[in-house]
């Protein structure tokens, strides 16, 4: 395995970040300073250290925050489409899956893990974990739109959405920030359609108190810290 991939998999940073760490001489392999990110290492045999700490201990579960790009489906496999699992480090020993879903053309924060209990605690309707989105629209948000979201929108098939928070800037009424506590299929897009507006671009920016990392480029992922995981369950307004 390449050293930069090993470091990224171990949580030392993104592939771009760990390459810089190696170039700065901050990584040691078997007691010697590593100089090249493409150096081959054997996780079972070689001792890799960063900041005086040995890396590579296998955690019980892993938790990735992915900056999902458009064009990928939120699934573990698909015979026709690219899946979000293609964007996270591959480890055949783990059964990774996306927590909930983002539509194929929706970008932003998506969690990927192999911890079923953690995923359930986020997606269960009883937990009411808030999800926040930025929606760019083909028309302007009005006071009636904001009230409709607050009251709870009902779709044509009878599905009723819980109360949601819609905010917009006075200077840009074609962009709204939506906070929902559910995850119904195409929910945000359908809610706006019920108000006569079409979503032209949608990005999820937070789950609970966990926000999309502004330093994480689209298509990149990073391992969550314990503090990151806890933040998912704080700051909810529902």
């Amino acid at each position: 395995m390449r050293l930069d991939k090993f470091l990224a998999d171990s949580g030392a940073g993104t592939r771009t970040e760990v390459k810089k760490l190696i170039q700065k001489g901050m990584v040691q392999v078997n007691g010697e300073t590593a100089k090249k990110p493409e150096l081959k290492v054997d996780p079972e045999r070689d001792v890799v250290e960063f900041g005086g700490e040995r890396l590579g201990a296998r955690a019980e579960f892993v938790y990735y925050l992915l900056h999902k790009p458009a064009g990928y489906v939120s699934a573990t496999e698909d015979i026709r489409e690219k899946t979000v699992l293609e964007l996270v480090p591959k480890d055949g020993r783990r059964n990774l899956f996306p927590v909930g879903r983002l539509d194929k053309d929706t970008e932003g924060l998506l969690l990927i893990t192999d911890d079923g209990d953690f995923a359930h605690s986020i997606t269960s309707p009883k937990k009411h974990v808030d999800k926040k989105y930025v929606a760019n629209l083909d028309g302007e948000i009005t006071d009636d739109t904001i009230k409709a979201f607050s009251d709870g929108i009902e779709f044509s098939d009878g599905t009723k959405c819980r109360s949601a928070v819609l905010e917009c800037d006075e200077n840009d009424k074609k962009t709204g920030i939506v906070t929902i506590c559910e995850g119904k299929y195409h929910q945000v897009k359908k809610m706006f359609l019920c108000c006569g507006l079409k979503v032209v671009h949608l990005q999820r920016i937070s789950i609970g108190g966990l926000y999309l990392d502004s330093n994480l480029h689209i298509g990149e992922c990073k391992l969550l810290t314990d503090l990151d995981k806890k933040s998912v369950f704080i700051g909810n307004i529902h």
Side-chain angles (χ1 to χ4, degrees), residues 80-185:
R80 294 181 299 274
E81 306 284 356
K82 296 178 293 185
T83 75
V84 292
L85 289 190
E86 296 176 35
L87 300 171
V88 300
K90 294 177 176 58
D91 184 343
R93 299 172 297 173
R94 295 191 181 277
N95 296 313
L96 296 172
F97 58 89
V99 179
R101 60 178 296 141
L102 286 180
D103 299 336
K104 180 181 176 181
D105 59 349
T106 299
E107 300 175 352
L109 192 163
L110 181 65
L111 299 178
I112 295 177
T113 186
D114 55 350
D115 185 346
D117 290 339
F118 175 76
H120 178 73
S121 65
I122 295 173
T123 57
S124 172
K126 296 180 181 180
K127 299 297 183 180
H128 300 162
V129 176
D130 289 341
K131 291 89 175 175
K132 186 173 291 187
Y133 299 79
V134 175
N136 299 111
L137 310 164
D138 68 346
E140 293 191 349
I141 295 169
T142 66
D143 290 342
D144 287 341
T145 316
I146 294 172
K147 185 177 185 304
F149 273 63
S150 179
D151 291 343
I153 289 174
E154 184 173 342
F155 298 151
S156 59
D157 63 1
T159 299
K160 182 70 181 288
C161 298
R162 294 175 62 90
S163 173
V165 177
L166 172 59
E167 305 166 274
C168 73
D169 191 312
E170 281 295 320
N171 298 317
D172 182 12
K173 293 192 175 183
K174 287 188 175 183
T175 299
I177 299 177
V178 185
T179 305
I180 62 175
C181 62
E182 304 171 288
K184 292 181 170 62
Y185 184 64

Side-chain angles (χ1 to χ4, degrees), residues 1-2 4-15 58 62-66 83-97 112-114 216 219-224:
M1 178 187 295
R2 284 175 56 115
D4 56 350
K5 183 179 187 307
F6 174 82
L7 290 167
D9 289 359
S10 299
T14 65
R15 289 287 281 270
R58 177 177 164 81
V62 293
Y63 309 84
Y64 290 107
L65 186 162
L66 171 68
T83 75
V84 292
L85 289 190
E86 296 176 35
L87 300 171
V88 300
K90 294 177 176 58
D91 184 343
R93 299 172 297 173
R94 295 191 181 277
N95 296 313
L96 296 172
F97 58 89
I112 295 177
T113 186
D114 55 350
L216 196 65
E220 289 186 341
C221 69
K222 71 172 188 178
L223 284 167
L224 296 186

